[in-house]
């Protein structure tokens, strides 16, 4: 996978690694929970379209990275942990749009499940359509049906993971290092998809905090 990103980022090359810092773990988790709840409360209080647009603009410009790093240490099935996973998917689409579109389309071609339909990306997938999907998911997180947004994000992750596996198989003989990288990506995306589906169920049960 390419090491160059559209914008500078704090993620390492293995950019699904947890970000380490020197903040006290208890304080970090408390801040993660408080910022996640405050962010959703802020944009969901009346769902002011202008507020939502400002949040989306911040996300487009990667200005939310600092806060998201706090979320990275939270439990997977918590509100901040869930927002962290949505943020990772948004970063993948924003920073590696061409490659992600290629992987997504490979997955959509390979899968015989409802995941591509749930994700809702027209075929053939293009970088522009994936960016549109990412924006739609973020809108759902901040002003729509939160659980449905998580399910769409999970479907996107599932399809892209399947594509990464397909492309890894094709690369194995000629570029084993890239094949290994994509295999790791597929595994991480599969985990994210499973976590988001659990969080969606918990949100509907009013047990995601």
């Amino acid at each position: 996978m390419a090491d160059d990103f559209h914008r500078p980022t704090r993620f390492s090359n293995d950019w699904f690694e947890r970000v380490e810092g020197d903040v006290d773990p208890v304080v970090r988790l408390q801040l993660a929970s408080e910022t996640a709840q405050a962010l959703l409360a802020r944009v969901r209080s009346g769902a002011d379209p202008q507020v939502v647009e400002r949040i989306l603009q911040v996300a487009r410009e990667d200005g939310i990275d600092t806060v998201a790093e706090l979320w990275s240490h939270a439990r997977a099935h918590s509100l901040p942990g869930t927002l962290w996973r949505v943020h990772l998917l948004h970063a993948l689409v924003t920073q590696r749009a061409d490659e992600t579109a290629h992987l997504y389309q490979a997955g959509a071609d390979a899968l015989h499940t409802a995941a591509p339909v749930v994700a809702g990306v027209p075929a053939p997938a293009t970088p522009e359509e994936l960016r549109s999907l990412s924006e739609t998911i973020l809108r759902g997180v901040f002003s729509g049906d939160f659980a449905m947004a998580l399910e769409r994000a999970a479907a996107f992750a599932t399809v892209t993971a399947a594509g990464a596996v397909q492309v890894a198989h094709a690369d194995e003989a000629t570029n084993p290092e890239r094949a290994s990288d994509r295999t790791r990506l597929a595994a991480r995306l599969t985990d994210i998809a499973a976590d988001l589906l659990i969080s969606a169920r918990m949100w509907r049960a009013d047990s995601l905090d």
Side-chain angles (χ1 to χ4, degrees):
M1 299 179 78
D3 290 332
D4 295 331
F5 293 83
H6 181 66
R7 293 178 58 84
T9 176
R10 298 186 180 196
F11 298 133
S12 63
N13 287 338
D14 182 11
W15 53 276
F16 283 130
E17 285 182 354
R18 297 305 181 97
V19 179
E20 296 297 333
D22 57 3
V23 178
D24 180 272
V26 175
V27 174
R28 177 184 287 274
L29 291 177
Q30 181 179 353
L31 287 172
S33 179
E34 290 176 352
T35 56
Q37 292 178 21
L39 181 59
L40 283 190
R42 169 65 172 159
V43 297
R44 285 178 173 276
S45 180
D48 185 333
Q50 292 184 343
V51 174
V52 174
E53 285 303 320
R54 285 199 296 272
I55 294 293
L56 293 175
Q57 184 63 37
V58 167
R60 290 187 202 104
E61 296 176 355
D62 292 335
I64 203 169
D65 276 355
T66 300
V67 175
E69 286 176 11
L70 289 173
W71 300 341
S72 72
H73 291 262
R75 291 178 293 106
H77 309 138
S78 66
L79 184 56
T82 299
L83 292 181
W84 168 246
R85 283 154 179 77
V86 172
H87 173 70
L88 285 178
L89 296 181
H90 179 73
L92 178 66
V93 171
T94 300
Q95 299 170 10
R96 298 180 172 180
D98 290 343
E99 181 180 11
T100 305
H102 173 62
L103 297 179
Y104 181 92
Q105 187 58 54
D109 291 341
L111 284 178
H112 301 288
T113 69
V117 176
V118 174
V121 178
T126 66
E128 291 72 23
E129 285 161 350
L130 289 192
R131 291 189 188 99
S132 177
L133 171 64
S134 186
E135 292 271 323
T136 299
I137 289 171
L138 286 176
R139 289 178 189 280
V141 165
F142 293 127
S143 62
D145 186 324
F146 187 69
M148 185 176 295
L150 298 184
E151 288 167 350
R152 290 194 73 178
F156 161 75
T158 296
V159 175
T160 308
V165 170
Q166 295 296 314
V167 174
H169 287 330
D171 283 341
E172 189 64 45
T174 58
N175 195 330
E177 182 177 351
R178 186 170 62 184
S180 295
D181 191 27
R182 284 171 168 162
T183 299
R184 288 193 299 270
L185 174 63
R188 188 67 176 100
L189 287 172
T190 299
D191 288 344
I192 287 175
D195 287 335
L196 290 177
L197 288 176
I198 291 171
S199 291
R201 291 196 294 270
M202 292 176 66
W203 178 262
R204 288 196 170 100
D206 199 26
S207 60
L208 187 69
D209 54 23

